[in-house]
Amino acid sequence: QVQLVESGGGSVQAGGSLRLSCAAFGYTYSIYCMGWFRQAPGKEREGVATIDINGSTSYADSVKGRFTISQDNAKNTLYLQMNSLKPEDTGMYYCAADTRYGGSCPMHPPKVRYNYWGQGTQVTVSS
């Protein structure tokens, strides 16, 4: 079992920055991939960024150059640094972990590929 707890969300104006954190507890040694996903009201959950156990990262086109995913293995913590935020970045942000598949860390389909999820943290960007 793996438990994930997100923090760091909030409300900012467009152009601002936020850093999300996701603390992992339990059998963290079993994690192959971790990722950040977001869901806006009325929309499907979408991938934002993923990272594998070797530190290889991937990003959605909409956040490339603005967001950075990283991990501190000593602290079992995943981060998402979000800069130059836009109103369309608004949504609930979820941290997720994959302990079943390994290999590459695709973003889709999120609820099939990733079997552990945090409770989410809200990010609101105003124009």
Side-chain angles (χ1 to χ4, degrees):
Q1 292 284 337
V2 174
Q3 296 81 42
L4 303 172
V5 180
E6 302 100 331
S7 60
S11 297
V12 296
Q13 290 191 327
S17 298
L18 284 172
R19 188 174 86 152
L20 306 183
S21 299
C22 172
F25 303 93
Y27 296 139
T28 57
Y29 60 84
S30 63
I31 295 174
Y32 294 112
C33 297
M34 293 195 75
W36 288 99
F37 299 81
R38 66 187 181 190
Q39 189 165 15
K43 294 188 177 181
E44 292 187 356
R45 192 167 299 187
E46 64 175 359
V48 174
T50 62
I51 187 167
D52 69 15
I53 57 175
N54 297 314
S56 295
T57 59
S58 61
Y59 295 91
D61 288 343
S62 59
V63 306
K64 282 181 181 177
R66 300 188 298 122
F67 290 11
T68 303
I69 188 172
S70 62
Q71 60 190 2
D72 184 332
N73 292 327
K75 295 182 179 180
N76 291 324
T77 301
L78 180 73
Y79 301 100
L80 184 69
Q81 178 65 45
M82 305 186 294
N83 299 327
S84 302
L85 282 161
K86 303 176 181 180
E88 51 264 42
D89 294 319
T90 294
M92 187 69 77
Y93 281 68
Y94 298 92
C95 168
D98 156 44
T99 64
R100 296 177 299 186
Y101 293 98
S104 63
C105 300
M107 297 186 198
H108 306 284
K111 294 182 180 180
V112 172
R113 188 66 169 77
Y114 295 83
N115 54 322
Y116 289 101
W117 292 84
Q119 81 287 352
T121 186
Q122 178 68 36
V123 171
T124 302
V125 185
S126 58
S127 57

